[in-house]
Amino acid sequence: MKVDLCFVLDCTGSMRPFIAAARDCILQVTNYIKHTNPSIELRVGFCGYRDHIDGEGRLLTLDFTDQYEQFTTYLQSVPASGGGDAPEDVLGGLNAAITKMDWKNVTRVLLHIGDYPPHGKNFTDMADTYPKGDPHGLTAENVLEKLQSKNILYFFGKITDATEKMLQIFRGIIGEFPVFDLIGGDPIKLIEKFIKATSTSITYAVSMTSTIGSDSKDIYS
């Protein structure tokens, strides 16, 4: 019943309403969890990514905390900016979330929200500064294998169809995973979708680890 929840968000210009929705939903999610399943203890963290041209602002992390106001305050300081071409440093963001965050609770949830895929012609036909893939040598395989080895459950919030090829590749590596529709809608509806996606991710993951156990081979098989 102890849960680590990490939001991994694209933080480039088009993502402003989604960063705001993540910020505004967390207190409502924790209140919902408190009333529906008070035995769940939740820590929340954040990892934001942009693109390789964005220098020091490429990756942002807030390690896990149970001080939810700290999470909200941190996201208020995260601007939606940067990015060059359409693909983003998705693999860098996921890798940072998996390797730099202090995962220690038994139930581990990574909720990834983004509107464009990683670099590489295997992910997209769009104009791409790095058609050969991640310039630091990251691949979907080596990043998602780390995710599996740490027993982290992956969930995705879909904003555009541009990520469909990415999802197919990810499924080929780790199998099926829940995908939440975050497409369109006004800000209030978007927050409601975020609350539903986040709450569902938590309860789904708790159910999985309670029923199957926390062994990664069991969970991913």
Side-chain angles (χ1 to χ4, degrees):
M1 291 297 182
K2 293 185 176 180
V3 180
D4 286 340
L5 165 68
C6 180
F7 286 93
V8 178
L9 255 75
D10 178 342
C11 291
T12 54
S14 60
M15 292 292 292
R16 184 174 288 107
F18 299 92
I19 297 170
R23 179 193 70 216
D24 295 340
C25 87
I26 199 64
L27 293 177
Q28 296 181 63
V29 167
T30 54
N31 284 332
Y32 170 80
I33 295 293
K34 195 182 299 180
H35 287 98
T36 57
N37 201 334
S39 56
I40 291 178
E41 297 176 24
L42 179 66
R43 299 193 310 159
V44 294
F46 176 82
C47 183
Y49 62 88
R50 294 190 175 98
D51 208 352
H52 298 286
I53 65 167
D54 293 310
E56 291 183 3
R58 178 171 67 95
L59 298 172
L60 312 161
T61 56
L62 172 70
D63 212 345
F64 293 110
T65 179
D66 58 5
Q67 304 300 307
Y68 308 125
E69 292 81 5
Q70 180 186 349
F71 177 91
T72 302
T73 301
Y74 179 82
L75 259 65
Q76 285 174 341
S77 70
V78 174
S81 62
D85 50 7
E88 309 294 2
D89 186 19
V90 175
L91 297 179
L94 291 173
N95 188 63
I98 295 162
T99 62
K100 296 186 186 305
M101 305 289 286
D102 179 29
W103 299 92
K104 65 182 183 182
N105 282 336
V106 172
T107 301
R108 300 172 178 186
V109 178
L110 188 155
L111 178 53
H112 174 204
I113 298 156
D115 54 359
Y116 285 103
H119 289 280
K121 57 186 178 183
N122 56 325
F123 288 108
T124 179
D125 296 325
M126 294 181 286
D128 190 347
T129 310
Y130 303 97
K132 294 182 179 180
D134 184 272
H136 302 293
L138 294 175
T139 65
E141 288 79 8
N142 62 33
V143 170
L144 294 178
E145 281 166 11
K146 292 177 205 170
L147 175 117
Q148 287 179 298
S149 70
K150 287 198 171 186
N151 310 333
I152 301 167
L153 290 168
Y154 179 82
F155 300 79
F156 185 70
K158 183 178 179 180
I159 299 170
T160 71
D161 289 332
T163 53
E164 196 53 48
K165 188 80 181 290
M166 176 191 82
L167 296 178
Q168 290 175 12
I169 291 170
F170 284 10
R171 287 188 192 105
I173 301 167
I174 60 173
E176 290 295 330
F177 48 82
V179 175
F180 302 103
D181 175 14
L182 301 178
I183 298 170
D186 60 35
I188 300 298
K189 286 183 179 175
L190 184 59
I191 292 172
E192 289 172 357
K193 287 181 177 181
F194 259 73
I195 293 168
K196 184 176 180 182
T198 306
S199 303
T200 303
S201 299
I202 293 167
T203 52
Y204 179 99
V206 166
S207 176
M208 286 279 285
T209 50
S210 300
T211 305
I212 300 172
S214 59
D215 183 86
S216 61
K217 290 181 181 176
D218 286 339
I219 283 180
Y220 275 96
S221 63

